[in-house]
Amino acid sequence: MSQLLTVAAEEMENPLIPPIPELVIGLIAFVIVFGFLAKKLLPNINKVLEERREAIEGGIEKAEAAQTEAQSVLEQYKAQLAEARHEAARLRQEAQEQGATLIAEMRAEGQRQREEIVAAGHAQLDADRKAAASSLRQDVGKLATELAGKLVGESLEDHARQSRVIDRFLDELDDKATTAEATR
């Protein structure tokens, strides 16, 4: 029976609860390991975590500073671009104004040259007409004098008389031409 009691006592013990001496030794080992970790390893872990936190915060600050600087550069770029566009528009306007002025000057110069050419042409026409009229008067005068001399039967070589006959003849022709133009 004693054996039965021993077996029954062993069966009564809970297998999940370790014996007290093992529990004490395990607890002492746990405290030693925990103490070792708390004294040696935990400060190193905290130090690495702090450095990492500072690096991350510094990176964030640097990123924010870089973003602020980039925004500032972007604003400057936009301002310079707007200024360049304004300057280009101003230069384009000036070029258009200069072009319009140049065109007006060229037209005025062309008009002046045309008027000079027309005036020179009229002067040349007047001079040519006078030269032609003078040459015609002389030729007609010679022919009229020869014809009159043949009709009259005497020589009309006297210059004064010849001039009067020619002038009278040409005046009559001019009068006839003037009246013919007026009747048209």
Side-chain angles (χ1 to χ4, degrees):
M1 234 205 354
S2 81
Q3 279 184 331
L4 265 167
L5 282 177
T6 327
V7 173
E10 284 179 12
E11 286 179 5
M12 292 292 249
E13 283 185 28
N14 189 356
L16 294 178
I17 297 175
I20 300 231
E22 283 182 20
L23 188 60
V24 171
I25 292 173
L27 188 62
I28 291 171
F30 178 75
V31 170
I32 291 171
V33 169
F34 185 76
F36 174 74
L37 289 177
K39 293 285 185 189
K40 296 289 184 180
L41 202 56
L42 194 59
N44 288 338
I45 292 173
N46 285 337
K47 180 180 163 188
V48 169
L49 289 176
E50 185 65 27
E51 288 174 357
R52 183 173 282 174
R53 186 185 59 79
E54 288 176 1
I56 290 171
E57 287 178 357
I60 291 172
E61 289 173 1
K62 286 179 184 177
E64 289 175 354
Q67 185 177 7
T68 303
E69 184 179 345
Q71 188 66 26
S72 172
V73 169
L74 178 64
E75 293 299 322
Q76 288 176 353
Y77 171 74
K78 285 181 180 178
Q80 288 175 350
L81 184 61
E83 184 178 326
R85 284 182 180 157
H86 179 70
E87 182 69 18
R90 186 186 61 80
L91 289 175
R92 197 171 30 251
Q93 180 66 24
E94 284 180 9
Q96 287 175 349
E97 290 172 359
Q98 288 176 353
T101 303
L102 185 61
I103 289 172
E105 289 174 0
M106 295 301 271
R107 282 185 181 159
E109 179 67 20
Q111 185 70 21
R112 185 189 60 78
Q113 287 179 354
R114 184 184 70 83
E115 289 173 1
E116 286 178 1
I117 291 170
V118 168
H122 286 303
Q124 184 66 34
L125 282 175
D126 287 343
D128 287 348
R129 189 177 331 136
K130 286 180 183 177
S134 173
S135 174
L136 184 64
R137 278 183 185 260
Q138 288 176 356
D139 290 344
V140 170
K142 282 184 187 178
L143 290 174
T145 304
E146 287 176 11
L147 183 61
K150 287 182 184 179
L151 287 177
V152 174
E154 70 178 67
S155 176
L156 295 174
E157 294 296 324
D158 182 15
H159 186 60
R161 192 181 309 163
Q162 184 180 4
S163 250
R164 281 192 308 267
V165 169
I166 292 170
D167 287 340
R168 190 174 55 232
F169 179 71
L170 290 175
D171 287 340
E172 288 174 9
L173 282 176
D174 281 341
D175 289 341
K176 286 181 184 177
T178 305
T179 55
E181 285 181 14
T183 58
R184 287 185 199 175

